[in-house]
Amino acid sequence: MAVHFYENTGVFKLDTPNSTMMLALTPEGYLGQVYYGRSLKDKDLTYLMRTDEPPFTPSVNERETMSFFDAFAWEYPTYGSGDYRDSAFRIRTKSGHEACVLKYDSYRIVKGKKVPDGLPGTFSDTANTLEITLKEPDLGFTVVISYGVFDDVDAITKSVKVINTGSETFFLERALSSVLNIESEKGLDMITLHGSWARERHICRREIPYGRSNTSSIRGESGHQDHPFIAVMDRDASETMGNVWAMSFIYSGNFLAQAEKNQFDCVRVMMGINPEGFLWRLAAGESFTCPETVCIFSSQGIGAMTRSFHDLFRTHLIRGKYRDMKRPILINNWEATYFDFNTEKLLQIARTAAGAGIEMLVMDDGWFGHRDSDNSSLGDWKVNEGKLGSTLKYLVDEVNKLGLKFGIWFEPEMISPDSDLYRQHPDWVIRTPYKKPGLSRCQLVLDITRKEVRDYAYESVKAVLQSANIEYVKWDMNRQLADIGSLGLDCETQGELFHRYVLALYEMQNRLITDFPDLLLENCSGGGARFDPGMLYFSPQIWCSDDTDAVERLMIQHGTAMIYPLSTIGAHVSVCPNHSVGRSTPFRTRGYVALFGTFGYELDISKLSEEELDIVREQTQMYHCYNDLIRRGDYYRISSYPDSNIDCVSVVAKDKSEAVAVMVRVMGVPNVHSLRLKLAGLDGNSSYRIDGDERTYTGAALMYAGINVAGLWGDFEGRIIHITRV
Ligand code: DGJ
């Protein structure tokens, strides 16, 4: 059993294969954090709690309650009782009061780890779940913190349920999901992911200063700009060494991830639903479940943290038929045609694609209503047969006859003011009653928190999917929420809109994957604005960015793969000059970069030269050779652009029998030797061969001495290196 409670010391000990988390109770029943780090056999480290140092606990020194509260490493800090750091929990009673404090009540340990009610989350039959119940002694409500302790990954999940066990309604103003208190004699850095449209999830590492440093979203989705992830690490931690504590949020809406360094150099790291824009009414007997947070500790640097996230998400979060399967190589017509297409144009793409090893055609935006640009028809999910020149069924059947599967694009949460739907139901949008809602990409957001609205949106999608043999859906969302208001909510519940929106989205996606269990669902949001663990629970892959330039993708995919497995990262080869950045890169390099994702094409293949088509055939064959390894193996960052002109990542089979590395020298350099490249993650004692090389190398030589890569000429030149054990 990996979870223990020691009654005599009041210690809870949670063990994963290589990490230990310890919590303990003070004499008053306050729940505090003792230790989170490398695995320890010790059962009692409560001396770390400093309850024997001034100001002592309130039962020993009642005159200094607040000093104690303000320094204690609370497991779940509350607002208003004397802890002046940011709290994880804040309520407002009917009379307007906000101070509260939580005390231990009871615990329960159960076998297995279940998904939290109505929310996405991790699952396992072999993990253990610890539930600790806390109570507010004077206000009559209960908080249950659940810990999922995994036996095969170094991950501990936390989620919180608040139950109004009293007789009066109160409001939740803040209910975060997870808190960690970290100290390091070396000082601490943090990593967060930032960007914008077409440059999502760039890695940002910086020293944690005094005060609060945070990253957050109030956009109604996780967003291009910030990301629900935070890692805190020893100042000298690197890719391969040092302590790293990370948190990722299994949620797709507003979030807050914060590190706060206090007067004693202790860092409180917190994650949860962003309190801004959140107010939840909790009547007597009702409960509220906060989304789940994943905590990962690595004593072997950032690389090991990444591999734990990949393992956890691949095996304990993603579901469905395609989770472990090779995905069909797709070609999407967006960058090929934008809105200017018809059945014949699509079939022309499909015919050439079929001869080049591509396995699925995806028809993107523009097939419905009278949509020839982005200014109309969202909500009118009726096939525009006039534009296509055929029925959808005819198109799909013809594509299938060529041996290709067929996929389609939707944006179910949106509505265009120029649509029949809007003309019929102008009140079905998210808006306040007093202001004309602002447009973004000429569109408004449907108020899917209303059942009749989400039923309409979902049933429209379903009807199209039932009309032909459609095997893939790209579910897009091209604007963020604003003018927050719902005609379906009253004045006490308007503050619930953001969270209710996310719950409604989850309900719709759940219906989709239940009604169509064989469907391959790819989520998307104007590129990668909703690439988060919440969406991964519903779709095994997510479109990573609208930027398909190979060099920009090096940075975007590095940041994305910091947490997410390569099998989830939507990546396509497109034409040059690239549509986002105007850069021209070699066709082969574009393929190498996309192979380290789901792999596909986003171009008019019928316009490629014979030479380029030969490269496409080479790439589709490579996909079949390497994809099992890339989907399942261990990921290593060897060097990263822009820190280095040489970008290199590799994937090593779990049994170390095989590896594949992709290397790109970003800018050409004159008058240089061949390039020395040291690989990672191999078995030092095994012998390996590199494809195209007769020599045999030990794993140790490949990792510590390296190989010379010669013949790189020009900018953006890449190589793929495949190694097998002999
Ligand atoms: C944004 C997506 O990221 C693109 O791939 C494309 O589907 C467009 N939307 C279509 O409007």
Side-chain angles (χ1 to χ4, degrees), residues 555-576:
M555 291 183 283
I556 297 168
Q557 292 181 199
H558 265 298
T560 308
M562 175 66 73
I563 328 166
Y564 304 105
L566 303 186
S567 60
T568 66
I569 299 178
H572 297 167
V573 175
S574 61
V575 292
C576 281

Side-chain angles (χ1 to χ4, degrees), residues 334 339 364-365 371 409 441 474 476 478 524-527 543 546 602:
W334 179 239
F339 293 99
D364 211 281
D365 192 357
R371 188 158 166 99
W409 177 97
R441 208 198 192 205
K474 177 176 175 187
D476 203 350
N478 283 299
C524 169
S525 176
W543 183 228
D546 278 344
E602 181 108 7

Side-chain angles (χ1 to χ4, degrees), residues 515-528:
D515 289 345
F516 302 94
D518 291 332
L519 188 78
L520 173 56
L521 176 61
E522 176 156 357
N523 271 296
C524 169
S525 176

Side-chain angles (χ1 to χ4, degrees), residues 636-647:
Y636 290 86
R637 279 177 291 270
I638 295 172
S639 67
S640 308
Y641 174 73
D643 296 341
S644 158
N645 191 33
I646 311 295
D647 187 280

Side-chain angles (χ1 to χ4, degrees), residues 96-115:
H97 297 106
E98 295 182 302
C100 72
V101 71
L102 294 168
K103 285 193 171 183
Y104 174 73
D105 178 72
S106 56
Y107 81 98
R108 195 165 83 100
I109 298 172
V110 286
K111 188 79 198 156
K113 155 76 182 72
K114 292 214 173 79
V115 173

